Amino acid sequence: MPLVSRHLLGPGPTNPYPEATAGLAAPLLGHLDPGFLRVMDETCAMLREVWQTDNARTLPLSATGSAGMEAAFVNTVGEGDVVVVAVNGLFGERMCEVARRCGAEVVRVEHEWGQPVDVERVAAAHPAPTVVAIVHAETSTGVRSDVAALGRLKGEALLLVDAVTSIGGIELRADEWGVDIGYAGTQKCLGVPPGLAPFTISDRAFARRVETPRSWYLDLGLLGGYVGGTTGGARTYHHTAPTAMVASLHGGLRRILAEGLDAVWARHERAGRRLQEGLQELGLELFAAEGHRLPELTTVRVPDGVDAAAVRGELLTRYGIEIGAGAGRYADTVWRIGLMGPNADDDSVALVLAALRDVLRR
Amino acid sequence: MPLVSRHLLGPGPTNPYPEATAGLAAPLLGHLDPGFLRVMDETCAMLREVWQTDNARTLPLSATGSAGMEAAFVNTVGEGDVVVVAVNGLFGERMCEVARRCGAEVVRVEHEWGQPVDVERVAAAHPAPTVVAIVHAETSTGVRSDVAALGRLKGEALLLVDAVTSIGGIELRADEWGVDIGYAGTQKCLGVPPGLAPFTISDRAFARRVETPRSWYLDLGLLGGYVGGTTGGARTYHHTAPTAMVASLHGGLRRILAEGLDAVWARHERAGRRLQEGLQELGLELFAAEGHRLPELTTVRVPDGVDAAAVRGELLTRYGIEIGAGAGRYADTVWRIGLMGPNADDDSVALVLAALRDVLRR
């Protein structure tokens, strides 16, 4: 592994909190060690806090955030079920594909990229869907959508939420907002390396789940016994927990909750607004619709005549700064700048603005 | 994370090689960083060496070994396909369940636990199966089966092999033995924490794959672009690679290949034989059939009148040694002792024998 150090200011992964790195490097424990089981229990409890939920079934799935998306659909959507998906970026698009592979009849509700989800249109798209799905923070566009409002309109449907880029960064209240199924990733605002998918499912959704989902690995019926949270502490062997990654998540979550969730959200908010002001002062134009911009992930239009990839390359080689290209058809016309986890701070803002000013000669 | 140090001498995870821990703790790179892409390419190349394969599609899947099993079936088995599974322990059993969820017609070929697979019976079980599946090293029983012999008898079927506990520990020659699809785990003889599934698939099997598998996350058609190995280096975004875990695997593989694969296999062989002799000298009886015992994982019958769990507890609290309980119905009557990766050495053998002698008062 090249021992090069980067400022990870793209759409994720971000640099980990030091406590998350310490968890990785701590002496490895077996997945059935009493010490590890305590770490797992504490991790699930802390995940409930960052999700703001009481769901017993809240756990870190043993794969990346994209597997969280798969787990969400594969456990709740069967052959012929209707799934309404709000599509306002790459990850809404992906939800359609994953739902289709579960045999769903997918009702897409299309939006322009860069715009938030129109929740009334989504709620009206079908009279009785099994699931309504929305991305809270679209990583492809830097836009926040109003999950709480969709929760008020969902009716009998289950509300399925992608919180990959929102968890630990902006306000997220799973229970209060009526979220039935939520998945996230570790490598964004939680400040932990990629590799786990924090997941939560309500009792209501669990009771309506697919009995034998197509995936054995992601079968929540089996995973309840694995974490022990719903069996009075008894554990059944399902798969070998990725103990180093769970210890890392444990470290990151402890750090976040020690600072306080409100304080962490405020820190992300402050850093993001400063960056967005600074970029506009440099004469750059933001991509996401005003009033719906994520603080933790800012999208910027590449100025006419500027080679987007060359600028990213120069930031990387001269400053060790990674920022992201745009997603999909915006690959060459948008940049994505993330301020997540430990990087949601003044010095990351100052650094990336100074470097951009220099590289763009502004 | 409790900073307690364990001798992990159970069925896995094992203690990692120091190089694997260093990989985890190295500064995190983004999943698209040129430095990380090099690490990924080198990791895939080193995986080809430990699999002994030229398969272009050889990569670390971003989940644990059990997801490797799911990927193997979900990409090659469709509705109504016939899958013959050799069942001689827990993991053969699990293969049946995973294959069923893919819609397969499963033909089980049952064996007594502790015995190797009877490959002629397996080959004769169905005239024209799509897939024939076998566990190379049964983690539940400590038994090795003859994959090469099944490879000679497989006919037109694809040969699917679980190498979770064999890879990096005992002779494994995917290409020479006719393995079409293989999956493994990192936390056994590779000496890396759990969290990735080293995977390989032949061109022949890939050509016969399921076009749109039920799993998006484990779709090998999409994952080819992710690692770039089959696209001339071009990458397409699929999911965020678990960069810390890949760096860790990179460290472990470098260590193994620096020592030499033959030397590593010989070291596991030597340690395992010494342990098995020592246990018999203590008057203990081995569980796995003679002549088919894995060196890296030894199964021992619990002597009459001995409380199996109490002994494991005393080894853990007094010596910091973790050994495993038996699997399934052997939970209270068998112990499993692993000597994997860095623990395949004289001092681990001496330590566990001395501790057992003491705790058992022999």
Side-chain angles (χ1 to χ4, degrees), chain A residues 163-286:
Chain A
V164 169
T165 295
S166 59
I167 197 169
I170 58 173
E171 188 181 17
L172 170 67
R173 302 188 187 278
D175 286 359
E176 194 179 317
W177 294 355
V179 176
D180 292 291
I181 308 122
Y183 63 87
T186 47
Q187 75 274 17
K188 315 273 188 182
C189 301
L190 294 179
V192 174
L196 297 174
F199 193 90
T200 191
I201 183 167
S202 67
D203 289 348
R204 172 173 174 265
F206 189 74
R208 287 164 62 178
R209 78 187 184 282
V210 174
E211 198 63 50
T212 306
R214 291 179 173 188
S215 172
W216 178 92
Y217 189 66
L218 300 172
D219 181 344
L220 292 171
L222 302 175
L223 285 164
Y226 154 78
V227 291
T230 55
T231 55
R235 318 272 171 164
T236 51
Y237 169 63
H238 178 260
H239 68 278
T240 300
T243 53
M245 277 302 306
V246 174
S248 181
L249 176 57
H250 185 266
L253 289 169
R254 279 189 64 167
R255 163 68 178 258
I256 286 171
L257 296 175
E259 183 175 346
L261 201 49
D262 288 332
V264 171
W265 292 345
R267 176 161 58 76
H268 280 83
E269 180 67 26
R270 207 163 47 237
R273 294 310 157 218
R274 281 188 190 169
L275 174 66
Q276 289 165 9
E277 286 163 20
L279 290 167
Q280 289 171 307
E281 282 163 19
L282 287 181
L284 295 168
E285 192 187 339
L286 302 182

Side-chain angles (χ1 to χ4, degrees), chain B residues 238-259:
Chain B
H238 178 258
H239 68 278
T240 300
T243 53
M245 278 301 307
V246 174
S248 182
L249 176 57
H250 185 266
L253 290 169
R254 279 189 64 167
R255 163 68 178 258
I256 287 171
L257 296 175
E259 182 176 345

